[in-house]
Structures are given as structure tokens and as C-alpha cells.
Amino acid sequence: MMKKIAVIGLGKFGMHLAAQLASRGAEVLALDSSMDRLDDVKDSVTHTVRMDATELKPLREQGLDDYDAVIVGMGDDFEASLLTVANLQQLEVKRIIVRATTSVHERILNHLGIREVILPAEEAAERLATSLMVEGALDSFALSEEYKIVEVTAPDHFIGQTLGGLKLIERFGVNVVTIKRMEKRKRLLGLGEESTEVVIGIPHSTTTVERGDVLVVFGKRKDIERMNNE
């Protein structure tokens, strides 16, 4: 199913993110008050709308509560960013991601209940695009323009299967480098248990995927997206 994502504010970060998401197959709505900026991105995204996102009525008309995520990218104008965030919260948008330019701005947004705050550069835009397009992606690291290492929460249909049975290399060209797993261990002196994240090392074809596992995978970006979104 095609993801629907809106990007509000087309500065360097917003424009790069919108183009990245559209190139990966998302339906992208780009919103900005500048027609020049919209003209720059109109050939790369699905829809463009000129509007002031600090005004609730025109924002409501875009049906953003139906989108998978809305990214507020106007971090340079923090007042406008806060007003836009307040509007999106009032519209009960499913997922709000906000760009901030300072750690102070980040803390203010956290106090407003926004948990997904980024202090971006172009690399951050690419990593965010990966996390939005790959279901369950927790983090990613680009090794080259083509190849990435991505941490992905194991999809439900992987649970209980062995890596050999999943045939990820044969089907997608994706290799599982290692697996992070939460394990219960006894506390010192045997006083109860605690959950600890462990890295299980180099996995084998007989390694079984368990619920909650984080798979650290290596491959081409498009192949990782195809594997996790099948």
C-alpha cells in the first residue's frame, strides 16, 4: 500500500526529504507559502499546495488526518513551527515529526508531546526517509549511494521462521548481519530479573527469528524496502 506523507515547509531539508520520499514510491503532498519553492519541487512530488500552515482552516481542508505522517520542516521559523504543530495536534494527525534547529527547541517540542524531533542535515533527511518508507526501521547508515545498513524490527511474518527458511539473500539480495534481542537475566544476588539487550553475534541459517528481534540487515536501499514492505 502506498504511503501518504505530507511535508510542510520546503527549505533545504523539506525539499530534500520530499524528493527522497517521492523517489521511493510515497504519495507526497508538499505544503509551503512560497510559490517559488513549490515550483522547484512540483515535478518531484505528487501534490503541491500553497498555504499558510499556521492557519487551521486551510490545513484542515488537506485531510491530513488520513496521512501516515506529517513532517513540519520550517525549523528556522520556530514560532510558525509551533503554531503548525498545535494545528496538527488539533486535527489529530496520526504521526507528527518536527524539525528543530536547537536543543532548546527540541526540549520545548518534547514538552508539547512531540517525541519525533530531528536536528537535520541532508543525511538526516535521508535517514528519516528510510525510517518512513521501511516499516519498522529504527535506524540506518549509508555505506554508499546504493548500500545501507538498516536496523529493522522483525516483521510479524518473520516470527518463528529460520533465516535459512526466509531465504532473504535469494529473494531480496539482503543479508542479516546480526540480531539484537532482549533477554531476561537474573539480577545480582538473584533478586528478580531484568531485560537486557544482547547481540547474538553472526547468525546462522538455523537461527530462528523471535518476536521483538531487531534485525541488522545489509543491502541496497530498494531491496531492503521491498523485503520489509512485502
Side-chain angles (χ1 to χ4, degrees), residues 19-159:
Q20 281 278 322
L21 290 167
S23 71
R24 301 184 188 195
E27 178 183 336
V28 179
L29 169 63
L31 304 168
D32 199 280
S33 58
S34 167
M35 186 56 71
D36 288 340
R37 290 179 176 178
L38 292 170
D39 285 341
D40 287 339
V41 78
K42 67 180 181 182
D43 293 331
S44 302
V45 302
T46 316
H47 310 288
T48 60
V49 175
R50 183 183 182 185
M51 62 169 294
D52 180 358
T54 65
E55 298 291 334
L56 180 60
K57 182 179 178 181
L59 202 59
R60 177 182 283 117
E61 293 171 353
Q62 305 310 314
L64 296 179
D65 57 327
D66 189 44
Y67 277 66
D68 295 293
V70 178
I71 297 93
V72 180
M74 69 268 272
D76 293 334
D77 186 345
F78 192 58
E79 181 179 354
S81 179
L82 288 179
L83 290 171
T84 300
V85 166
N87 287 338
L88 294 174
Q89 289 177 320
Q90 188 169 338
L91 295 174
E92 298 183 347
V93 168
K94 298 174 189 173
R95 184 179 180 186
I96 304 171
I97 303 167
V98 186
R99 176 195 178 213
T101 55
T102 71
S103 58
V104 173
H105 291 171
E106 182 180 20
R107 287 199 298 273
I108 292 171
L109 289 164
N110 289 159
H111 284 307
L112 293 176
I114 302 299
R115 294 291 170 253
E116 294 187 84
V117 181
I118 49 179
L119 300 168
E122 284 193 10
E123 179 184 354
E126 293 184 13
R127 291 173 75 173
L128 176 58
T130 296
S131 73
L132 287 166
M133 294 305 295
V134 178
E135 197 70 36
L138 304 176
D139 204 353
S140 65
F141 309 91
L143 299 181
S144 69
E145 289 188 5
E146 267 195 309
Y147 289 94
K148 287 179 174 287
I149 292 176
V150 181
E151 295 184 2
V152 181
T153 302
D156 287 342
H157 58 284
F158 282 22
I159 309 305

Side-chain angles (χ1 to χ4, degrees), residues 130-215:
T130 296
S131 73
L132 287 166
M133 294 305 295
V134 178
E135 197 70 36
L138 304 176
D139 204 353
S140 65
F141 309 91
L143 299 181
S144 69
E145 289 188 5
E146 267 195 309
Y147 289 94
K148 287 179 174 287
I149 292 176
V150 181
E151 295 184 2
V152 181
T153 302
D156 287 342
H157 58 284
F158 282 22
I159 309 305
Q161 298 197 56
T162 64
L163 293 180
L166 288 169
K167 299 184 183 301
L168 299 181
I169 295 178
E170 295 90 335
R171 293 166 61 201
F172 305 105
V174 173
N175 189 36
V176 178
V177 179
T178 190
I179 297 176
K180 295 181 178 181
R181 178 173 293 167
M182 298 302 294
E183 292 187 353
K184 290 188 179 295
R185 295 184 174 181
K186 288 187 177 181
R187 296 179 184 272
L188 190 64
L189 303 179
L191 300 174
E193 294 182 330
E194 61 181 356
S195 294
T196 303
E197 183 182 80
V198 297
V199 176
I200 69 170
I202 299 174
H204 303 285
S205 61
T206 55
T207 300
T208 300
V209 179
E210 298 181 3
R211 188 168 302 280
D213 280 355
V214 174
L215 310 181

